[in-house]
Amino acid sequence: MASVLNSAFYLNSSNFKSIRVRTHSLVSPLSLPLTRRRLTIKAAETDANEVKPQAPTPDKAPVSGGAGGSSFNQLLGIKGAAQETNKWKIRLQLTKPVTWPPLIWGVVCGAAASGNFNWTLEDVAKSIACMLMSGPFLTGYTQTINDYYDREIDAINEPYRPIPSGAISENEVITQIWVLLLGGLGLAGLLDVWAGHDFPVVFYLALGGSLLSYIYSAPPLKLKQNGWIGNFALGASYISLPWWAGQALFGTLTPDIIVLTLLYSIAGLGIAIVNDFKSIEGDRALGLQSLPVAFGAETAKWICVGAIDITQLSVAGYLLEAGKPYYALALVGLIIPQVVFQFQYFLKDPVKYDVKYQASAQPFLVLGLLVTALATSH
């Protein structure tokens, strides 16, 4: 299972950043939108205040992302998707299934950290229900609401996408948002009852994550417009919230675990920055303060690797101080190859080698999360 989720994490991490304005896409509510689409230079130069984009009809979709696209990509909700007319396939595309696995992994880590998960039919069923809440329902809600609020930008940059192309109406999208949100919150409440909680902690985690997802994508706050806040929210969505849900379901969510996972979320911030480099020109044209725009590419790439490495080393130090030297040593062993790949790929050229870097380094970071979870369970 770990190997499958590691592979899925990489596939998704290359799309880790949902643009702050649609240029490419926590928690869900347990995850903030994670797919980023790059702005074209032509689109960046368009004055959105002067030109009201007209959503083209499906038969005018460009071949690069429409009729000539991949059906497999369509089902996963990633770039290069085929044009589709089946409403249920379109609804699935809006939820971006490719973004679900990292949240599922977070639930696994939380369950492991609780120290109370057993391979019984009931515990397995509980964990699957928690994964459904975090992935299809709440991440699906997050991705759908993100596409809804990016529909005008998509009409310029990716007019073949479901909403601007007219393949699905705005009223149908709004209905889907409510169904996924209420379904996720309802499932969270059922999990609290199933776990025998006096206080509905899973429900309130889902509710808080849902609110965070809304203000991430929707005006007036639209957190994704700010490099620091938006990226940290993404990092927390990948690591903290699903971990908390899994741990609360099987055990007790303690203050030290909350602090530890929020610290680990800084590494998630670094991962999010990786995807900012390929959109520098579009972000700058639209006045978006991504870290590469704010600090320059050279400084930003060191901020990125620093956030990833220093965070993990700090966690290793915490484990050592907590009397768990073998877990600390294992975590350091997983950090070393990440540093090697940073110098081999990312620091040389963060735009050219971003995919190679993430494919090489991210599995070690994901395994480090599990090592930390197992360490805290003893």
Side-chain angles (χ1 to χ4, degrees):
M1 180 179 182
S3 61
V4 173
L5 288 173
N6 283 343
S7 300
F9 184 95
Y10 157 64
L11 176 60
N12 184 58
S13 65
S14 63
N15 293 319
F16 188 59
K17 181 110 169 64
S18 161
I19 70 171
R20 284 148 302 218
V21 178
R22 175 70 58 186
T23 55
H24 288 249
S25 160
L26 63 168
V27 183
S28 8
L30 289 174
S31 160
L32 290 175
L34 308 172
T35 305
R36 183 171 183 114
R37 297 179 220 112
R38 185 185 304 183
L39 280 173
T40 60
I41 300 303
K42 182 177 181 180
E45 294 173 347
T46 302
D47 187 342
N49 294 322
E50 295 180 5
V51 181
K52 179 72 174 178
Q54 300 296 320
T57 56
D59 61 332
K60 294 181 180 179
V63 173
S64 61
S70 162
S71 296
F72 178 73
N73 287 6
Q74 190 275 327
L75 291 176
L76 290 181
I78 57 179
K79 289 193 73 172
Q83 197 73 19
E84 184 56 67
T85 57
N86 183 293
K87 276 292 169 65
W88 290 106
K89 289 184 177 180
I90 292 171
R91 290 186 182 281
L92 181 64
Q93 180 182 357
L94 286 173
T95 67
K96 297 183 179 68
V98 73
T99 64
W100 302 348
L103 285 299
I104 292 172
W105 183 258
V107 172
V108 170
C109 290
S114 73
N116 296 320
F117 177 84
N118 298 299
W119 287 100
T120 63
L121 181 60
E122 181 179 11
D123 280 4
V124 170
K126 282 182 183 178
S127 63
I128 291 174
C130 192
M131 292 172 186
L132 287 173
M133 175 197 70
S134 301
F137 279 102
L138 294 182
T139 304
Y141 154 79
T142 297
Q143 299 295 347
T144 305
I145 200 171
N146 187 69
D147 269 21
Y148 177 78
Y149 281 106
D150 282 343
R151 62 193 184 279
E152 292 189 358
I153 289 294
D154 283 346
I156 299 172
N157 299 313
E158 298 179 276
Y160 45 82
R161 290 190 59 77
I163 299 176
S165 71
I168 186 170
S169 71
E170 291 185 11
N171 285 337
E172 289 173 316
V173 174
I174 292 172
T175 299
Q176 174 163 320
I177 289 170
W178 279 107
V179 167
L180 291 173
L181 174 61
L182 295 178
L185 294 177
L187 189 51
L190 289 174
L191 285 170
D192 280 314
V193 174
W194 196 351
H197 291 158
D198 294 327
F199 178 80
V201 59
V202 178
F203 174 81
Y204 279 108
L205 285 173
L207 183 63
S210 301
L211 176 61
L212 182 58
S213 294
Y214 176 79
I215 65 175
Y216 178 87
S217 296
L221 296 180
K222 207 156 190 171
L223 299 182
K224 63 184 180 180
Q225 294 182 93
N226 181 286
W228 288 109
I229 298 175
N231 284 338
F232 183 76
L234 283 173
S237 74
Y238 258 65
I239 297 168
S240 297
L241 281 170
W243 182 316
W244 296 350
Q247 182 154 350
L249 181 61
F250 293 100
T252 302
L253 188 57
T254 57
D256 59 325
I257 289 296
I258 293 175
V259 172
L260 184 63
T261 50
L262 285 175
L263 177 63
Y264 231 127
S265 296
I266 298 175
L269 179 151
I271 297 172
I273 298 172
V274 171
N275 295 282
D276 286 336
F277 289 90
K278 52 193 173 188
S279 302
I280 291 177
E281 292 181 352
D283 287 350
R284 183 180 291 118
L286 290 174
L288 302 179
Q289 288 300 301
S290 68
L291 296 188
V293 170
F295 294 96
E298 189 64 26
T299 300
K301 69 183 183 183
W302 287 102
I303 294 175
C304 175
V305 298
I308 294 172
D309 298 341
I310 294 173
T311 297
Q312 293 179 91
L313 288 171
S314 299
V315 173
Y318 169 84
L319 295 178
L320 184 62
E321 182 67 22
K324 299 173 181 178
Y326 295 112
Y327 287 103
L329 185 61
L331 184 55
V332 171
L334 291 169
I335 296 171
I336 291 173
Q338 296 178 58
V339 175
V340 171
F341 290 126
Q342 286 164 1
F343 279 94
Q344 184 176 354
Y345 295 123
F346 184 72
L347 292 173
K348 283 184 178 179
D349 191 329
V351 176
K352 181 178 179 180
Y353 295 117
D354 65 329
V355 175
K356 282 187 177 181
Y357 164 65
Q358 292 185 85
S360 304
Q362 298 308 331
F364 294 99
L365 185 144
V366 173
L367 288 175
L369 282 172
L370 185 58
V371 167
T372 304
L374 292 172
T376 58
S377 68
H378 294 87

